[in-house]
Amino acid sequence: MGDHKEQPLRVGAAVRRRRRALALTLAVVAERSGLSVPFLSQVENDRARPSTSSLDRVADALRTTAVELLAAADPACSVDVVRAEAPETEPAPRVRSLVRGHHQMHASEFTGDHDAGREFQYRNDQLMYVADGAVEIEAEGRAYRLGRGDTLYLTGGVRHRWRATVPDTRLVVVAVAEHVEAIQERPHR
């Protein structure tokens, strides 16, 4: 009970995300698919479940496949438990997603070290939390040393890199998902 895979999928959000990514209106998708605007609106808001043939028509209109839309679908649950994995016998760098599905928030747990030379830059804001051990994070030309329980907040667009400075370090990174437009464009003057 409460497991993610037990819940039915809500394809509406995936349809909406794909339509918006292509900068299409509901009217254009309706014209391409031969389905009505009200029906497509109900699908996007999960008030109607499309048949297999309707989903195929929507997918064609969005230049994708029904399989891809279903893969990007959200589970019909508001609570999901991600269980801790059994610890590995050899400490090795690894990453584990803490949030499943396509949501407005993403969280990952990094265990051990990783390529300290790799630079990251995310479109949206993120928070880095040291669950165990210690890390050094370079951002905007400065180095920040964080220990267990410390956090570092990065505004979207800030280039950074990090490295574990203690064996068996666990770093949790929580971020606004990339598919969510969280950066506001500044007006041109």
Side-chain angles (χ1 to χ4, degrees):
M1 184 144 161
D3 282 346
H4 179 82
K5 59 188 165 213
E6 293 174 4
Q7 303 295 327
L9 294 178
R10 297 182 312 183
V11 74
V15 170
R16 182 182 314 107
R17 282 190 296 268
R18 178 68 180 174
R19 178 179 62 78
R20 287 180 177 170
L22 296 173
L24 299 175
T25 64
L26 279 173
V28 170
V29 176
E31 183 180 316
R32 288 182 180 178
S33 66
L35 301 168
S36 72
V37 171
F39 175 71
L40 290 172
S41 177
Q42 288 179 343
V43 168
E44 283 193 0
N45 291 300
D46 288 313
R47 289 191 297 251
R49 293 187 68 177
S51 66
T52 304
S53 65
S54 291
L55 187 59
D56 284 335
R57 290 164 64 182
V58 170
D60 287 344
L62 295 173
R63 295 185 174 90
T64 188
T65 65
V67 171
E68 289 294 320
L69 288 175
L70 289 170
D74 292 337
C77 63
S78 58
V79 176
D80 184 30
V81 176
V82 177
R83 301 280 180 204
E85 298 173 356
E88 297 178 12
T89 54
E90 288 186 35
R94 68 184 183 99
V95 61
R96 178 172 76 103
S97 181
L98 302 175
V99 177
R100 291 183 279 218
H102 218 71
H103 299 287
Q104 293 184 23
M105 182 189 75
H106 182 73
S108 297
E109 176 188 63
F110 295 86
T111 304
D113 208 349
H114 74 109
D115 180 5
R118 181 175 175 201
E119 187 173 70
F120 299 92
Q121 181 181 24
Y122 297 103
R123 178 178 193 91
N124 296 329
D125 298 356
Q126 70 177 20
L127 178 79
M128 301 173 88
Y129 169 74
V130 181
D132 281 315
V135 297
E136 182 176 86
I137 302 170
E138 293 178 33
E140 296 187 323
R142 291 188 56 199
Y144 301 89
R145 295 173 197 260
L146 304 178
R148 183 172 188 232
D150 291 342
T151 62
L152 179 90
Y153 174 84
L154 296 166
T155 300
V158 172
R159 292 182 186 277
H160 62 283
R161 70 180 90 232
W162 67 272
R163 68 181 183 91
T165 57
V166 173
D168 301 324
T169 290
R170 288 189 313 124
L171 179 69
V172 175
V173 178
V174 179
V176 176
E178 291 292 306
H179 69 274
V180 174
E181 190 66 39
I183 294 179
Q184 292 183 354
E185 295 292 327
R186 292 194 173 100
H188 297 290
R189 296 182 194 237

